[in-house]
Amino acid sequence: MKQLLMTGLIGLALLGCSSEKEKPVQTDEPTYTLIFIDKSVSVNVNQAFVNQKYTQEISNLIEANLHTKGDKVEVYFIHDNTSKARALSQSVRSEMDDVSNASPTDREAAQAAFDLSLQREKTMIRQRVLQQLTRQNSSLSNQRTDIWASLPVIAKANESGMLVKVYYLSDMLESMQGTGRRDLHENPPRDDAQAEEWAKADAGKLKQYTIGSPEVTMVLPFEPNASAKVNNPTVTHYWQTLFSELGVSSVEEQ
């Protein structure tokens, strides 16, 4: 009897876990997508590997983040004047008709019309973002890389109250001159301990920007066989620590 009771309890527990896992995550919260494309001389998007990786990432994020009216995509260029380098701003206009009192047939028709309209917008926005990806920067601004300047842009997006997702299509080699600035190209951290020390010190200065808790993805332009000298893990560790100190909810490296 005890064995039967125990078996039944285990079965109910497993059923509960299964139901919980299968429960779909649904949200109507608009998404604010920020794409920072590195336009400094250290990143060449004309290289086949880089172009393919960044093109695929743009396609993936457009597909994943645009799903409802009000979803927004902005593109900024990373160079020595990043915060003033907005290159594109697009918002989804497609809207699902009110089908609360509609018949099942009318609901299906409304859903199909919305899906078609949304897909057209996704295609258009993707094309416009890709145009910015291949746009060349031959001005002197390409001599420096100011990634810190992306923070006030993120802070501005945070004021919208939307879910903010940030994508850096960059080698993440901050390279700025001046007192209190970092040049990770010429002077990267020697190890993870120094990377953390620098990041925590810099976070103290950069917390003036209230960026909220965005999701951050760093899409690096390095091939899998790149050496540590090229794809320096201490630089990546610096950014992971800095973003964490600033309150970022998640940091992903690709």
Side-chain angles (χ1 to χ4, degrees):
M1 185 66 181
K2 288 183 179 180
Q3 185 175 1
L4 287 173
L5 180 60
M6 183 63 68
T7 301
L9 290 172
I10 293 174
L12 287 172
L14 291 174
L15 181 60
C17 292
S18 176
S19 299
E20 190 68 28
K21 288 181 180 179
E22 292 173 2
K23 190 181 296 181
V25 178
Q26 296 180 344
T27 177
D28 293 325
E29 183 181 10
T31 302
Y32 201 132
T33 302
L34 285 170
I35 307 171
F36 293 95
I37 303 177
D38 200 323
K39 294 294 180 178
S40 63
V41 293
S42 64
V43 177
N44 183 4
V45 297
N46 290 324
Q47 291 180 352
F49 173 82
V50 180
N51 188 275
Q52 181 179 3
K53 182 175 184 178
Y54 283 177
T55 297
Q56 186 60 57
E57 179 62 24
I58 288 169
S59 296
N60 291 345
L61 69 89
I62 291 295
E63 186 62 33
N65 296 351
L66 302 187
H67 56 86
T68 191
K69 182 180 180 181
D71 283 337
K72 191 168 188 175
V73 175
E74 287 189 342
V75 175
Y76 280 77
F77 291 157
I78 294 176
H79 46 52
D80 77 351
N81 193 22
T82 301
S83 64
K84 297 293 185 179
R86 190 175 74 178
L88 181 70
S89 180
Q90 296 281 305
S91 295
V92 171
R93 298 180 179 180
S94 299
E95 185 175 15
M96 181 74 174
D97 291 338
D98 183 3
V99 293
S100 55
N101 297 317
S103 67
T105 301
D106 289 341
R107 288 179 185 174
E108 289 182 10
Q111 184 67 55
F114 170 74
D115 291 343
L116 179 59
S117 178
L118 179 61
Q119 195 56 50
R120 286 174 176 167
E121 284 202 88
K122 284 183 178 182
T123 299
M124 179 269 293
I125 293 173
R126 175 182 178 275
Q127 290 173 344
R128 292 185 177 178
V129 174
L130 289 176
Q131 287 173 354
Q132 302 309 317
L133 174 66
T134 56
R135 186 172 162 187
Q136 298 300 306
N137 179 22
S138 57
S139 74
L140 291 178
S141 65
N142 67 15
Q143 299 301 305
R144 291 294 164 190
T145 306
D146 192 357
I147 300 174
W148 283 9
S150 66
L151 297 175
V153 177
I154 300 172
K156 185 67 176 178
N158 178 53
E159 293 175 3
S160 70
M162 298 165 67
L163 172 64
V164 179
K165 295 187 179 183
V166 183
Y167 300 82
Y168 291 96
L169 279 56
S170 170
D171 57 13
M172 303 304 289
L173 291 175
E174 174 86 4
S175 181
M176 294 297 290
Q177 295 178 325
T179 304
R181 297 307 304 262
R182 299 288 178 194
D183 191 335
L184 302 180
H185 179 73
E186 296 293 335
N187 183 32
R190 64 175 175 268
D191 52 30
D192 281 354
Q194 187 171 58
E196 291 182 15
E197 178 187 345
W198 287 1
K200 290 177 181 179
D202 294 341
K205 295 177 287 187
L206 297 171
K207 282 182 178 178
Q208 61 178 302
Y209 304 114
T210 306
I211 66 171
S213 54
E215 299 176 15
V216 170
T217 302
M218 298 182 292
V219 190
L220 305 177
F222 307 119
E223 298 197 44
N225 59 357
S227 67
K229 185 177 181 180
V230 175
N231 186 7
N232 191 331
T234 65
V235 172
T236 304
H237 192 65
Y238 165 84
W239 288 109
Q240 289 171 333
T241 305
L242 179 65
F243 286 135
S244 178
E245 290 289 316
L246 294 175
V248 167
S249 63
S250 66
V251 183
E252 182 182 351
E253 174 193 348
Q254 294 184 2

